Amino acid sequence: MTSKLSPTTVLRNYFHAKDENRPHLMREAFSETAVLRMHVRTGNIAFPAVSQGLAAITDVLVSKFGATYENVYSFYLERPHTHAPKFSCHWLVGMTEKEGGNVRVGCGRYDWHFGQNPRGLATQLAITIAVMQVLPPGQLASVFEWLAGLSYPWTSASQITASAPGIAALSPVLQYLQTDGQPV
């Protein structure tokens, strides 16, 4: 019998699948009947509002995402408690567009539900994309030096902001993280 996965393991599996473009790992993060809801509050990126089932979620969050973006670094700003039925936290992501080389840095909130399945997999995930900044390819070196220096996959808003490069376009991301997503 396969043992129940902890929320920490599920979240780590999700980032390995998404960030490393490994769709086969999504079955170690989501149940077959899981539901993904996307709340996009920026015009700089688009996703379907709802995806139902492991195959659809994998297509949206790994296959199509991986066809468009590379050099993906994602971070959770909190760790889940052991076997908690729900977990919410803010996140940060940095990546490059495969076509054109623009750098994207964004942040938002994850709301995970693990439901009653024997493996402890996610049954629901709501992703809020609050900010997504697009920077020119010339910013790649400084942005990725910053991201590569953060603890992966768990870091903190204070670590992010303390080491952020002095790029004006990052201000909306840093402001969101410093205010815990609350308007200033």
Side-chain angles (χ1 to χ4, degrees), residues 6-17:
S6 70
T8 300
T9 300
V10 170
L11 271 63
R12 187 182 303 267
N13 290 345
Y14 166 61
F15 273 179
H16 283 306

Side-chain angles (χ1 to χ4, degrees), residues 110-182:
Y110 285 127
D111 293 295
W112 293 88
H113 294 263
F114 300 100
Q116 298 297 322
N117 63 79
R119 297 213 44 229
L121 299 170
T123 55
Q124 295 180 48
L125 173 60
I127 301 175
T128 301
I129 302 174
V131 180
M132 183 59 66
Q133 296 297 99
V134 181
L135 291 73
Q139 301 288 356
L140 185 136
S142 58
V143 168
F144 284 96
E145 180 180 332
W146 165 52
L147 295 175
L150 297 172
S151 299
Y152 179 88
W154 284 277
T155 191
S156 68
S158 61
Q159 290 175 334
I160 291 167
T161 57
S163 61
I167 300 171
L170 292 176
S171 293
V173 172
L174 300 175
Q175 182 178 346
Y176 175 92
L177 297 175
Q178 289 170 330
T179 61
D180 202 27
Q182 301 302 313

Side-chain angles (χ1 to χ4, degrees), residues 8 23 26 50 54 84 88 163:
T8 300
M26 288 292 274
V50 178
L54 176 62
S88 297
S163 61

